[in-house]
Amino acid sequence: MTPLRRILEIELRLQTAQIGTSAVLGVLAVVLAATVTDGLLAVLPIWAALAWYRHGRADTVERRQLRATLGLSRADAVRGRVALIAAESAGLLLCLLLGTVLARLLAHRSTVLPGPTVSWSPPPGVPLGVELATAAAHVALILLLTAVAIGGEGVTRRPGRSMLLTGLVVYLGAGLLVAAPLGLVMAAVELDGSGAGPHLLVTAGIAACAVLLALVLRRRVRVWIRQLDSAGAAAALSGEGVPA
C-alpha cells in the first residue's frame, strides 16, 4: 500500500488550483474580518462542504491515468482525495476561527458564530475560547454529516453538475438537523446562567458526535473503495467478453 504522505503529495500537485482557490478565499475572509466585516467567513464552511463536488469535477480521465502511471491504485486515489479534503476543510475552519477572533478583538460587528446556519450569544462569563471550541465542533459535525451523505458521489465517479445543488441542500439540511436539538440545549444552558461549565459540556457532546461521525466516514471510505474495485473488475471482465 502506498504511504499516505506520498499519495497526498501527488494529490496536491493534481489539485493545486482547488487548494489555491481555497487558500485565497480563506485569507481574504480573514483580512476582511480584520478590516471591514466577518460576513465572508460564513462562506468558508459552505466552500468546504462543496469540496467533494469541486475535487470530483476536477478529476478528469487524464488525471486518473496519471495516477495509474505513478503507481497509485483506486484505493490510494480514494484515500488521497478524502485526506486532501479533510486537510482543506481543517484549513478553512482555522481561517473561520481566526477571522472570528480578529473581528472580536478589533470590535467589528460579529455575524458568524458559531456555525453556518445558527448562532447564539453566550451568557456573560463564557470565555471566547469556549465559544470558538463550540463553533469548531459544530461546523466539523455539519461537514462530517455532509461528507457521509455525498462524499461517495465525489470519489467513486466524476459528479454531474447537479451535485452542486445537491451538496448545498445536504449541507443546509445537515445544519438544520444539528441546529434543532443544539438550539434547545443551548437555550437551556443560557437560562441556567452558570457560566462556562455547561458550555464546555455541550461542546464535549458535540465533539463526541463529530468523532463518531469521523469513524462512520472511515467505514464509508472502505465501502467506496470496494465499489470502485467492483466496478473495475466488472469493466475488466466486460472488456474480455466475459459477462459482468
Side-chain angles (χ1 to χ4, degrees), residues 78-194:
V78 173
R79 290 170 57 223
R81 180 83 56 82
V82 173
L84 186 63
I85 291 175
E88 179 183 343
S89 299
L92 291 169
L93 178 56
L94 181 62
C95 289
L96 171 63
L97 300 178
L98 177 59
T100 300
V101 171
L102 291 176
R104 292 292 186 89
L105 292 178
L106 298 174
H108 295 303
R109 184 172 181 270
S110 177
T111 59
V112 184
L113 191 69
T117 56
V118 64
S119 62
W120 61 82
S121 299
V126 175
L128 178 59
V130 177
E131 282 191 73
L132 294 177
T134 304
H138 183 194
V139 175
L141 181 60
I142 294 173
L143 291 179
L144 284 165
L145 277 170
T146 305
V148 170
I150 67 171
E153 183 70 17
V155 299
T156 58
R157 63 182 64 85
R158 189 168 185 262
R161 296 187 185 278
S162 62
M163 187 183 170
L164 176 61
L165 178 59
T166 302
L168 287 172
V169 171
V170 170
Y171 166 78
L172 293 175
L176 293 174
L177 181 65
V178 172
L182 184 57
L184 293 175
V185 173
M186 293 304 298
V189 168
E190 291 179 12
L191 289 175
D192 181 69
S194 53

Side-chain angles (χ1 to χ4, degrees), residues 82 148 212-223 225:
V82 173
V148 170
L212 290 176
L213 270 178
L215 295 175
V216 172
L217 179 60
R218 184 178 180 183
R219 291 181 63 88
R220 293 298 299 163
V221 168
R222 295 172 181 169
V223 172
I225 290 173

